[in-house]
Amino acid sequence: MLSQNLGYPRVGSQRELKKASERFWAGKITRDELQNVASQIRHRNWETQKNAGIDLIPSNDFSLYDHVLDSSLMVGAIPARFHSLIDGKSNKELVLYFAMARGVQRDGLDIKAMEMTKWFDTNYHYIVPEFVKNQKFSRYSDKVALEFEDARQAGIITKPVLVGPVTYLLSGKEKEEGFHRIELLDNLLPVYIEVLKDLYARGAQWVQLDEPCLVLDLTDREKLALQSAYAQIREAVPGLKILVATYFGALEINLETAVEMSIDALHIDITRGVESLAAILANPGFVSSSKKLSVGVVDGRNIWKNDYKKSLDYLREAIAVLGEKRVIVAPSSSLLHSPHDLDQEKNENVLTPQIKNWMAFAKQKLGEVSTLKKLAITNWTEDAAFKVNQEAIESRRSSELIHKPLVKKRVEGIKASDFERQARFAERQKLQFEKLRLPLFPSTTIGSFPQTDEVRQLRANFKKGILSVDEYESRIKEEIVSSLRWQEELGIDVLVHGEFERNDMVEYFGESLSGFVFTQNGWVQSYGSRCVKPPVIYGDVERPEAMTVKWSAFAQANSAKLVKGMLTGPVTILQWSFVRDDQPRKDTTFQIGLAIRDEVIDLEKAGIKVIQIDEPAIREGLPLRKSAWADYLKWAVDAFRLSAAGVADQTQIHTHMCYSEFNDIIGSIAAMDADVITIETSRSQMELLDAFADFNYPNEIGPGVYDIHSPRVPTVEEISQLLEKALKVIPARNLWVNPDCGLKTRKWPETEAALRNMISAAKLLREAVEA
C-alpha cells in the first residue's frame, strides 16, 4: 500500500520565494540568487515529505510564478508578441517567463501580460494559455526534467507532476476564430510524449498528470480526447507508470472515461466528490483491472484536522474491493491551497490552543496521510494516534465557542423584504444623479492604494505596541488626507480613503467579526508573489461594533468630493476564508451578510453616499457542475442583496468583480442589483463586456481600463481606445472609468502615472461626447 502527495506549498514557510521574486523584479538580486532561494525551498519540501513517510513525492509542483505558465513554456506555447524575447540561452528564459506573466515595459518594449483567471473554483490565479489555429508546439523549457534530476541527485526519486494535456488545452483560450482548442491535441501530444520519454530515461518510475477537467461537464469530444491522449501516451512510453489525478469534485458523467483510460492509477477527491468512490468500486471494468486507486481523503483545501474514523471507513471500503496493494492514500488535491506549517503558530493570543488543536496545515496533512496508511491495515480502534485524533474531533464538535443562538435566530428571521431595495434601478439612478451630481464617465478607483513599506511597518509597530493608539491613528489620518489631496489634484470624481489601515480585504473584516480566528503564518499563494493569509471561520458570525465607519467618516469630512465607503461582500469573505465545515456554507454566508448589512446602514448614517461592497469571488464560488449552479447563485445573490438592501435609494451601491467569465452568470450578476459594477476587462481587451452587451445589462458599469497586476503603465491612447470600445456596448450615462482592481500591490510611481493617463483619457472622451 502506497501513500502519495499531489503537490506542496511553493512560496516557502516564511514566504521566501515571494520576497526573493520581488527583489529580483526590482533588480536587487541576480537570477542566480533567485534560483538559489527556489532550490532551497524545493529541497526542504522534498525532505519534509520524505521525513513524513510519503512514498510518492512530487517534483515539478514547484513554480516561480504559476504551474500552468510553466506548462506553456514547456510546450513552447509562447504568444507571438513575446517572440522577440525568445533566446536560446537558459539564463534568458526567466526574462521571457516573467514578461508573459507580468508584461514588460522597458528598453523600448511595451508588451502586455497574458490573461489571468481562477484555477477551477479556488482562489489561485493561473496564467491563461493562448492558442491560435493550427498552432505548433515544441519543447522549450526543460524545467520538469531538471527538477527531477535535482531531486535524484539528492537521493529522492520523485513523481514528476504535469498539467495533463487535455486540461491544459481546456484551460486556455482561442485567440482567433474558426477552431476549438481541443483540436490542437494532436499537435500537443508529441511534446508531452517527448518529455515523458525523457523522464523515463532519467529514472522516473511514476508520473502524475493532473486532469481536473474530469470533474467538469465534458462533451463527448473532450471525453474522447482524454481516452485518445492516454492511449497514445501508454503506447509511446509503456514502462512509465502513469497516474491521472482529478480533484475538486466528483467524476459523475465522466466516470466511464476515467476508468477506461490507459493508465496505471487514478486519483479521486472524496472530500468534494465522495460518490466517486462507490461508483468506481462498483465498476466491473475498474475492479477487474490492475489499476491502483488513489483515495484523496485528507482535505487539501481546508485547515481542519482529518476525522480518522470517517477516512478509515472509506479506505477500508476500497481495500475490501481492491486489496491493499491497489489502494493509495493521499490528500484530496495539491496542498498548494493550504498554509505551510501549523507548528509555526506559536502565539496563543492569536490562535488559542483549543482551536489550534482542531487544525492541520500542509505539513500536518502529510502526517495524516502517513498515519492513515498505517492505520488502514492495522487494528486502528486501539491505536493511540487514532484515539488522540477522535478526542480532537469530539472537542470541536461539542465546543461552546462555536454556536450562538441569537445569531442563528436572526438568520431564521430574515424576511423577503430584507433582500429588496425600495425602488427599481431606473428610479434610483435618477435620484442618485440628482443627489451625487457626477459628470459623464465618472472616474474612481477600486479602493486600495499602494501599501508602502512605511505603511506596513506602521501597522506592524502598532500591533507590537511600539505605537500608541493615538500615534497610530494620527499617522493613518495623515496618509488618508495626503491621498485625498492627491486624488483631488488629479481630478478623480469619486475618491477612496486608500485603506492604509487594512492588512487584507478579508482579514481586516474578520478581525472585527466574532466567529473568526487568525494565524501568524498561514499564508497561501494567490498568484505569482501575491500571498494571502485567510482568516478561519470556526463559529457563528456577528458584528460586535462598527468596522469601517470611523475611517470612512473621517475621509469624507476631509474632502468636498464624494468618498466611497469600502466593504468586502459576504460571499467573498466566505470564499477567501477557511470555512467551518459543520453547517451549510449558505448559513455562514447569511450570517456574514447580516453583519455587512449593519455596517452599510451605519455608513449611510455617517453621511457616506457611495458604498462599495466587493464581491470578486461570486464567480469563483460557482459549482463546477452546472446542475448545482441555480441553488448556489440563488443564495449567493441573496446574500449580497441582504447586505446592500437596507439603505435609501439615493445611496449608491457599488460592487467589484475581477478575473471572471461573466457570460454564463450574467443574469445573476444583474439580479444582484448593484447600482454600479466595476469589472476586470483590460487583459481581455474589453471582450468580457460582450456578455453585458448581449444581455443588455441595465445598471452602470466600470470596465477596468488598465491591468493593475502588471507594472507596465498604459498610455492615454491605449486607455482611450478601450473606453471607445466600451462605449460601443454601454450607454454613455452608464459608463464609469476605473482600474480593473485595487492598487494595493503596486508602487506609487507607476500608480500615479497610470491614473494620470486614465483621467486624461476620461476627460478626452467626456469632451468628445459632450461636443
Side-chain angles (χ1 to χ4, degrees):
M1 191 171 182
L2 295 173
S3 63
Q4 73 154 338
N5 183 30
L6 275 65
Y8 205 65
R10 55 206 187 199
V11 294
S13 61
Q14 300 297 319
R15 294 179 295 157
E16 300 95 318
L17 182 63
K18 167 191 171 63
K19 297 166 188 175
S21 295
E22 291 175 355
R23 286 175 60 80
F24 174 74
W25 298 333
K28 295 179 179 178
I29 63 171
T30 66
R31 167 191 172 276
D32 288 345
E33 289 172 312
L34 172 62
Q35 293 286 22
N36 184 53
V37 171
S39 176
Q40 291 175 11
I41 294 171
R42 288 196 300 270
H43 281 265
R44 279 200 302 269
N45 288 354
W46 292 327
E47 285 298 323
T48 297
Q49 293 170 85
K50 179 182 177 182
N51 294 337
I54 300 298
D55 297 313
L56 301 180
I57 297 170
S59 62
N60 199 48
D61 56 327
F62 176 86
S63 177
L64 285 170
Y65 200 96
D66 165 52
H67 60 278
V68 182
L69 178 61
D70 294 343
S71 300
S72 292
L73 231 64
M74 180 184 80
V75 301
I78 302 166
R81 65 186 181 278
F82 297 102
H83 284 184
S84 64
L85 299 175
I86 294 176
D87 191 306
K89 299 176 182 177
S90 61
N91 63 349
K92 297 290 187 181
E93 189 174 303
L94 274 190
V95 175
L96 171 64
Y97 181 77
F98 286 131
M100 291 167 70
R102 307 176 70 241
V104 62
Q105 194 173 44
R106 57 168 176 73
D107 301 331
L109 293 173
D110 189 0
I111 309 174
K112 295 176 185 175
M114 296 170 69
E115 286 186 55
M116 186 162 61
T117 196
K118 298 293 179 72
W119 179 245
F120 289 75
D121 60 351
T122 72
N123 187 33
Y124 175 81
H125 306 62
Y126 73 93
I127 302 297
V128 180
E130 299 179 12
F131 303 125
V132 295
K133 193 173 184 178
N134 300 319
Q135 177 158 338
K136 305 302 180 188
F137 300 93
S138 60
R139 188 173 179 183
Y140 181 80
S141 170
D142 290 328
K143 173 181 178 293
V144 58
L146 294 174
E147 291 187 8
F148 175 80
E149 282 289 350
D150 191 19
R152 191 169 70 88
Q153 293 296 323
I156 300 174
I157 301 299
T158 57
K159 172 198 58 172
V161 178
L162 290 80
V163 177
V166 177
T167 292
Y168 173 72
L169 288 174
L170 294 180
S171 299
K173 181 177 284 189
E174 299 90 348
K175 284 305 186 178
E176 60 184 25
E177 296 180 354
F179 80 107
H180 189 283
R181 54 199 181 278
I182 202 67
E183 296 170 18
L184 301 174
L185 183 62
D186 287 341
N187 292 356
L188 178 67
L189 270 180
V191 183
Y192 267 81
I193 288 170
E194 180 184 346
V195 170
L196 295 174
K197 283 182 174 179
D198 185 12
L199 289 169
Y200 184 54
R202 292 172 184 269
Q205 300 166 10
W206 282 92
V207 169
Q208 173 185 320
L209 289 156
D210 286 356
E211 294 285 10
C213 68
L214 278 161
V215 304
L216 303 178
D217 295 321
L218 295 179
T219 64
D220 289 342
R221 184 184 191 184
E222 290 159 353
K223 293 177 187 177
L224 285 172
L226 279 161
Q227 292 188 334
S228 172
Y230 287 92
Q232 291 181 60
I233 288 172
R234 164 59 68 234
E235 183 178 359
V237 202
L240 185 62
K241 294 177 183 176
I242 302 294
L243 182 148
V244 165
T246 185
Y247 37 78
F248 303 155
L251 291 168
E252 296 185 12
I253 62 170
N254 303 321
L255 176 70
E256 290 299 325
T257 300
V259 301
E260 290 175 5
M261 287 193 298
S262 300
I263 57 177
D264 299 280
L266 175 67
H267 170 84
I268 58 172
D269 173 354
I270 68 167
T271 68
R272 291 180 178 244
V274 67
E275 57 268 37
S276 293
L277 179 62
I280 289 174
L281 296 179
N283 185 280
F286 190 91
V287 173
S288 62
S289 74
S290 61
K291 294 173 186 172
K292 294 180 184 290
L293 180 65
S294 172
V295 187
V297 288
V298 174
D299 194 342
R301 290 179 56 179
N302 215 329
I303 46 71
W304 303 115
K305 189 168 284 187
N306 184 268
D307 183 343
Y308 284 177
K309 172 67 169 63
K310 188 176 179 181
S311 293
L312 288 165
D313 285 343
Y314 290 134
L315 291 171
R316 283 290 177 91
E317 185 181 347
I319 291 170
V321 175
L322 302 176
E324 292 174 8
K325 292 185 178 180
R326 288 181 62 192
V327 176
I328 303 174
V329 187
S332 61
S333 65
S334 169
L335 298 178
L336 166 70
H337 311 288
S338 295
H340 202 281
D341 183 5
L342 187 62
D343 292 339
Q344 294 184 353
E345 302 300 320
K346 301 184 183 300
N347 189 336
E348 295 184 0
N349 294 322
V350 176
L351 185 61
T352 65
Q354 181 179 3
I355 297 177
K356 182 179 177 181
N357 187 45
W358 302 338
M359 296 180 178
F361 290 0
K363 184 178 178 182
Q364 288 69 41
K365 289 177 187 295
L366 296 175
E368 290 181 334
V369 168
S370 291
T371 301
L372 285 168
K373 172 192 164 183
K374 180 187 75 171
L375 294 179
I377 53 177
T378 62
N379 182 15
W380 41 268
T381 56
E382 300 302 318
D383 190 276
F386 176 79
K387 291 179 179 179
V388 170
N389 172 266
Q390 291 301 286
E391 288 170 3
I393 298 300
E394 180 56 34
S395 166
R396 180 179 169 219
R397 185 182 295 122
S398 59
S399 173
E400 294 181 359
L401 289 174
I402 293 174
H403 304 289
K404 295 188 175 183
L406 290 178
V407 175
K408 296 184 189 300
K409 186 176 180 181
R410 189 181 179 195
V411 171
E412 292 168 0
I414 293 172
K415 306 182 296 294
S417 59
D418 292 329
F419 301 112
E420 302 293 335
R421 297 288 294 272
Q422 297 169 29
R424 294 180 180 275
F425 170 72
E427 299 170 50
R428 299 199 308 267
Q429 188 179 39
K430 294 175 185 176
L431 293 171
Q432 291 165 16
F433 180 79
E434 294 170 1
K435 176 99 170 179
L436 305 180
R437 293 294 174 188
L438 290 168
L440 199 61
F441 312 126
S443 58
T444 189
T445 62
I446 304 305
S448 57
F449 278 141
Q451 296 274 311
T452 62
D453 291 340
E454 292 76 15
V455 168
R456 290 192 178 96
Q457 191 61 51
L458 191 63
R459 289 199 303 266
N461 288 342
F462 175 58
K463 283 195 170 184
K464 293 174 183 175
I466 297 173
L467 292 176
S468 68
V469 173
D470 289 343
E471 289 173 319
Y472 170 72
E473 292 191 350
S474 176
R475 296 279 299 280
I476 292 292
K477 287 176 179 178
E478 289 175 10
E479 294 285 347
I480 291 172
V481 171
S482 175
S483 76
L484 293 172
R485 297 293 168 265
W486 177 74
Q487 292 173 81
E488 290 167 347
E489 180 269 328
L490 195 62
I492 293 177
D493 298 304
V494 178
L495 314 186
V496 297
H497 79 285
E499 303 181 13
F500 302 107
E501 79 285 6
R502 303 186 189 184
N503 43 14
D504 175 81
M505 66 180 289
V506 172
E507 185 176 10
Y508 176 80
F509 289 94
E511 287 175 340
S512 300
L513 296 168
S514 65
F516 283 76
V517 73
F518 301 87
T519 63
Q520 290 177 292
N521 297 291
W523 298 99
V524 292
Q525 185 182 23
S526 178
Y527 66 87
S529 68
R530 171 77 170 137
C531 300
V532 293
K533 187 153 58 71
V536 177
I537 305 175
Y538 71 88
D540 289 334
V541 177
E542 64 180 338
R543 185 193 76 144
E545 58 185 11
M547 302 178 285
T548 67
V549 175
K550 176 174 67 176
W551 297 114
S552 293
F554 170 80
Q556 187 61 82
N558 278 274
S559 180
K561 286 196 164 188
L562 295 166
V563 181
K564 278 194 289 190
M566 299 299 307
L567 304 171
T568 302
V571 175
T572 298
I573 290 177
L574 179 94
Q575 285 293 130
W576 293 359
S577 300
F578 291 116
V579 185
R580 59 188 293 190
D581 55 2
D582 62 338
Q583 73 174 14
R585 292 170 73 85
K586 171 187 173 181
D587 294 353
T588 304
T589 311
F590 275 29
Q591 291 179 1
I592 302 169
L594 287 170
I596 300 299
R597 181 187 182 93
D598 294 341
E599 188 74 10
V600 168
I601 291 170
D602 282 350
L603 282 169
E604 184 184 55
K605 289 176 181 176
I608 307 302
K609 300 177 179 64
V610 180
I611 301 171
Q612 181 170 308
I613 308 171
D614 286 345
E615 281 291 23
I618 283 271
R619 181 64 170 81
E620 172 190 316
L622 197 65
L624 297 175
R625 299 283 187 190
K626 287 189 176 181
S627 59
W629 283 15
D631 179 64
Y632 162 76
L633 287 170
K634 177 67 170 65
W635 64 255
V637 169
D638 280 350
F640 177 84
R641 293 176 68 118
L642 178 66
S643 69
V647 294
D649 292 331
Q650 292 91 335
T651 298
Q652 191 175 72
I653 297 293
H654 290 223
T655 192
H656 171 69
M657 297 182 183
C658 53
Y659 298 108
S660 294
E661 297 291 342
F662 297 116
N663 303 56
D664 43 13
I665 62 165
I666 188 66
S668 296
I669 292 174
M672 292 169 68
D673 199 27
D675 298 306
V676 182
I677 179 173
T678 53
I679 58 173
E680 180 277 323
T681 56
S682 58
R683 285 199 180 195
S684 69
Q685 295 297 293
M686 293 284 172
E687 73 177 47
L688 287 177
L689 277 184
D690 291 343
F692 290 82
D694 295 341
F695 180 78
N696 196 20
Y697 185 78
N699 299 19
E700 298 178 19
I701 308 176
V705 294
Y706 82 87
D707 174 23
I708 69 90
H709 297 86
S710 170
R712 69 177 294 276
V713 176
T715 64
V716 174
E717 181 183 17
E718 179 184 330
I719 296 173
S720 295
Q721 289 172 350
L722 290 176
L723 286 171
E724 289 166 5
K725 208 170 179 180
L727 199 54
K728 292 177 181 177
V729 295
I730 300 174
R733 71 172 186 166
N734 287 3
L735 181 60
W736 283 66
V737 181
N738 47 263
D740 66 2
C741 205
L743 296 160
K744 174 181 177 180
T745 60
R746 301 270 50 94
K747 304 296 184 186
W748 268 112
E750 67 202 44
T751 295
E752 293 178 3
L755 287 180
R756 285 191 185 278
N757 289 350
M758 185 188 85
I759 295 301
S760 295
K763 287 179 178 177
L764 287 173
L765 184 63
R766 191 176 299 153
E767 291 167 2
V769 171
E770 288 175 347

